[in-house]
Amino acid sequence: MVDYHAANQAYQYGPSSGGNGTGGGGGMGDYMAQEDDWDRDLLLDPAWEKQQRKTFTAWCNSHLRKAGTQIENIDEDFRDGLKLMLLLEVISGERLPKPERGKMRVHKINNVNKALDFIASKGVKLVSIGAEEIVDGNAKMTLGMIWTIILRFAIQDISVEETSAKEGLLLWCQRKTAPYKNVNVQNFHISWKDGLAFNALIHRHRPELIEYDKLRKDDPVTNLNNAFEVAEKYLDIPKMLDAEDIVGTLRPDEKAIMTYVSCFYHAFSGAQKAETAANRICKVLAVNQENEHLMEDYERLASDLLEWIRRTIPWLEDRVPQKTIQEMQQKLEDFRDYRRVHKPPKVQEKCQLEINFNTLQTKLRLSNRPAFMPSEGRMVSDINNGWQHLEQAEKGYEEWLLNEIRRLERLDHLAEKFRQKASIHEAWTDGKEAMLKHRDYETATLSDIKALIRKHEAFESDLAAHQDRVEQIAAIAQELNELDYYDSHNVNTRCQKICDQWDNLGSLTHSRREALEKTEKQLETIDQLHLEYAKRAAPFNNWMESAMEDLQDMFIVHTIEEIEGLISAHDQFKSTLPDADREREAILAIHKEAQRIAESNHIKLSGSNPYTSVTPQIINSKWEKVQQLVPKRDHALLEEQSKQQSNEHLRRQFASQANMVGPWIQTKMEEIGRISIEMNGTLEDQLSHLKQYERSIVDYKPNLDLLEQQHQLIQEALIFDNKHTNYTMEHLRVGWEQLLTTIARTINEVENQILTRDAKGISQEQMQEFRASFNHFDKKQTGSMDSDDFRALLISTGYSLGDAEFNRIMSVVDPNHSGLVTFQAFIDFMSRETTDTDTADQVIASFKVLAGDKNFITAEELRRELPPDQAEYCIARMAPYQGPDAAPGALDYKSFSTALYGESDL
């Protein structure tokens, strides 16, 4: 037998940790020794022994029942060592040596020694506990041995933030109960007397089991029984304590409380593991869901933009001219609306689409996901190709519209000129055929015949003078045909009628002349004076008609020089008017002289001049008409001169603004290119600088708007050229769009670099070193380099490259095989292999925790462990599990996890 006090002391303070056992600094004996002062006084408290018997018995039975047995009396049922060995096998999961089945004392001692040796093999130093005391039923020794087992297998491995076992368990309790009112866990005895701490632990992990707010601190028995009953019914924790014993004891037994509380820790530790696993899975699924939303947004935006391009290109390629200027001007206005209203938002959409694509690829790389490949026909390159086709169709469309308007304007002018000349000619020919067919010479007197001959000569002179007008009419009709005038059929019909009539007049004139000349031999008397009048009056009359025609002639000019040329020609015409007036007076004097001679010789004139129909009244009337048309012509020319001066002002005004905006855009493009390759300050500094630069560019937009307004005024004035500037509105629009796109892309590149730097843990110094190395080998300073320059860059950073290894690296940094490596791809590569990111293995391990170590998981388990939206996300995408151990409704979480990372096999 051992000394009672020695045995009791060993039991009370517990064994010390030694060997390879765990438990934290100092071991279990150390932390128990710290309570030596207050333990010593209550060493022999019988209430403690009673609590320990009940608690330790219930604890042992909670494990023994797994082997289909239990104990009734803790100091009797372990005496033969058989159930003791069975208990150790159940709680350790290991096989002990084969027990001896004899009934003799020596067999029992040998079995107990096998159990004690197994405990010692786990790093526990047994002090003053021998097999004989256990076989003899020493209650103190037996309880001390069971406490040693509880410490080693239920408490010793509990450690929070590198604390000892007891401190770890206490810290765990404090953290879990911290939010609860009236709970202050400071120890494993009196802190638990009111029962609120037990209820708080249960409520913290399973709030549906406890109505904590209804518990009262002044009713400890009810509180304790509530916690014990709930733990036994729902948590499979046997009732190890009596509420009345705890309330009725000054200080409950610490070992009993620790044993019972450790059961709560182990019951809830699985939930903590499941919570950790669920959090990891939620994180991975959230990343995947966000990336899928970005992919869906890209596909939708790409489809919309490509559809708009598809609908717009045929409209721009439609070069079918309209028949009228108004219809063509409407097409020009539609095109201006397209440039001002419809296209600019699409430029922004295209730029934003490229930015979203680059950001998505960066996020996929950072989350260790495969690169996003848009569906067929919706690649960024497909959009760029479509955009190039759009701009090719757009190119020249505006110029074609203006040329068509110019052509139609020319056609309208020519058509009006044709009608005017044709009307004048038709008026002149009216009655001429009847006159030429008249056989008046057959009954005329000799003087009449001579008069008819002279009159016919005058007509021939007049006919010859009209030959030029007929040729002009035919030439205008020919030009209208060549310019595809829409009413060419009527023009040709009228022109042909005029030409046929002209040929007929020529034939009739020739026939009448022959008839008159045949008769002339018989006629001698001729009135020379009338003849002279007729000869001079006819060309003068024709000159006046030509002058009136010229004064009423329509004109179209496009420059100040052209109108000044017309004004000069008109001034020259006006200078000839005095000579014409003198000729008029001379002709009228001839007529007066004829009348004077007739009167003085009592000659009775038959009436009008037999040689011409141009009377003095006609001459005076036409001369008066010429006098009236001259100032009207002056006014029309001056109005056109004012219009051309206004057009010249518009040209200079546009040129002044364009010559300022054009160089400004070019300068900004060069500055952005320089900023994108410099390394001034941190990435945040560069981003701030670029965004400030972007705001300054956006603030410059009113200058371009002003230029658009001036350009529209020029087009409305139908101004087709501008010698004062080399910039066209089209060039400036394209330059502005490129400027906005370039600054947006540059900002996105820096944002992606920041995203990469933060996700990969790259320091600012490393980032600057990467940038310096990249810039050194970026010979063309374009922000990307070819494979030869990239190979040199890798060698300079310490890589020893064979062809196979270099080709592997190029497939990573240039997945699209463009032949170029960007700075973003370079820093992704430099940081990729050192980054701690989630892997498919980690996600599979997390799902396995939630599945309770099964190779499959059920929808019910997913809904229980994950938030609703992420649980449904997994259920919709997981394939049925096909393994031999499959259960109804089993889902394959392994293939799902590998698919998240683009892997075909784990």
Side-chain angles (χ1 to χ4, degrees), residues 562-577:
E562 291 177 357
I563 189 60
E564 288 176 351
L566 290 178
I567 291 174
S568 176
H570 183 60
D571 290 341
Q572 185 175 1
F573 165 75
K574 290 192 293 185
S575 67
T576 65
L577 291 178

Side-chain angles (χ1 to χ4, degrees), residues 424-465:
I424 292 173
H425 177 76
E426 288 165 348
W428 177 82
T429 58
D430 185 37
K432 293 296 190 291
E433 291 187 16
M435 181 271 293
L436 291 173
K437 292 178 180 180
H438 193 213
R439 303 176 68 85
D440 53 345
Y441 53 85
E442 292 180 350
T443 58
T445 62
L446 182 59
S447 61
D448 291 336
I449 291 300
K450 289 185 177 292
L452 288 176
I453 291 175
R454 300 298 181 268
K455 182 179 180 180
H456 190 70
E457 289 175 351
F459 173 77
E460 286 181 327
S461 176
D462 199 10
L463 185 67

Side-chain angles (χ1 to χ4, degrees), residues 299-530:
E299 291 282 344
R300 177 177 53 78
L301 291 174
S303 297
D304 292 346
L305 184 57
L306 287 169
E307 175 61 19
W308 179 82
I309 292 173
R310 185 192 65 78
R311 286 187 285 101
T312 305
I313 287 177
W315 175 67
L316 292 172
E317 290 179 340
D318 180 15
R319 304 294 170 90
V320 177
Q322 303 299 312
K323 292 183 178 181
T324 66
I325 292 178
Q326 291 73 21
E327 290 173 321
M328 290 304 297
Q329 285 178 333
Q330 183 58 50
K331 289 177 73 72
L332 179 61
E333 188 61 32
D334 293 342
F335 179 76
R336 289 170 181 160
D337 286 342
Y338 159 79
R339 286 296 323 199
R340 291 194 308 264
V341 178
H342 301 295
K343 186 182 179 185
K346 298 302 178 183
V347 174
Q348 295 299 318
E349 287 180 17
K350 177 177 178 291
C351 178
Q352 191 62 46
L353 196 64
E354 293 176 1
I355 290 173
N356 291 351
F357 181 84
N358 293 335
T359 301
L360 173 59
Q361 298 293 35
T362 300
K363 288 186 176 181
L364 290 172
R365 287 195 299 271
L366 296 178
S367 58
N368 203 20
R369 303 305 197 271
F372 168 53
M373 290 297 293
S375 57
E376 185 176 357
R378 294 184 177 90
M379 299 284 289
V380 173
S381 59
D382 296 322
I383 294 173
N384 288 333
N385 290 336
W387 194 264
Q388 289 177 1
H389 191 185
L390 174 75
E391 293 187 332
Q392 288 173 356
E394 181 182 320
K395 186 178 181 182
Y397 184 73
E398 185 176 26
E399 182 180 354
W400 172 77
L401 289 172
L402 294 173
N403 286 337
E404 277 300 308
I405 291 174
R406 190 184 306 176
R407 183 181 70 84
L408 290 173
E409 183 183 38
R410 171 70 174 163
L411 283 174
D412 284 352
H413 171 71
L414 287 174
E416 183 60 27
K417 192 170 185 178
F418 172 85
R419 287 188 288 271
Q420 186 182 63
K421 288 185 175 292
S423 296
I424 292 173
H425 177 76
E426 288 165 348
W428 177 82
T429 58
D430 185 37
K432 293 296 190 291
E433 291 187 16
M435 181 271 293
L436 291 173
K437 292 178 180 180
H438 193 213
R439 303 176 68 85
D440 53 345
Y441 53 85
E442 292 180 350
T443 58
T445 62
L446 182 59
S447 61
D448 291 336
I449 291 300
K450 289 185 177 292
L452 288 176
I453 291 175
R454 300 298 181 268
K455 182 179 180 180
H456 190 70
E457 289 175 351
F459 173 77
E460 286 181 327
S461 176
D462 199 10
L463 185 67
H466 277 272
Q467 176 69 34
D468 183 62
R469 181 179 289 117
V470 174
E471 291 174 355
Q472 289 179 7
I473 291 171
I476 292 172
Q478 179 63 30
E479 188 172 358
L480 287 171
N481 284 319
E482 291 173 355
L483 293 177
D484 195 25
Y485 181 54
Y486 75 95
D487 198 23
S488 293
H489 173 72
N490 290 331
V491 169
N492 292 336
T493 300
R494 189 172 184 181
C495 180
Q496 188 61 46
K497 182 179 179 182
I498 289 173
C499 291
D500 291 343
Q501 184 186 41
W502 183 255
D503 292 338
N504 189 38
L505 286 177
S507 177
L508 291 174
T509 300
H510 179 72
S511 298
R512 183 172 178 80
R513 183 171 184 81
E514 287 182 345
L516 291 173
E517 287 178 347
K518 184 178 180 181
T519 311
E520 186 182 16
K521 296 176 182 180
Q522 303 170 7
L523 303 175
E524 296 176 352
T525 306
I526 187 171
D527 190 343
Q528 293 294 329
L529 194 58
H530 278 184

Side-chain angles (χ1 to χ4, degrees), residues 273-285:
K273 292 179 182 178
E275 181 180 353
T276 301
N279 288 339
R280 176 182 292 276
I281 291 171
C282 288
K283 175 185 174 184
V284 172
L285 294 179

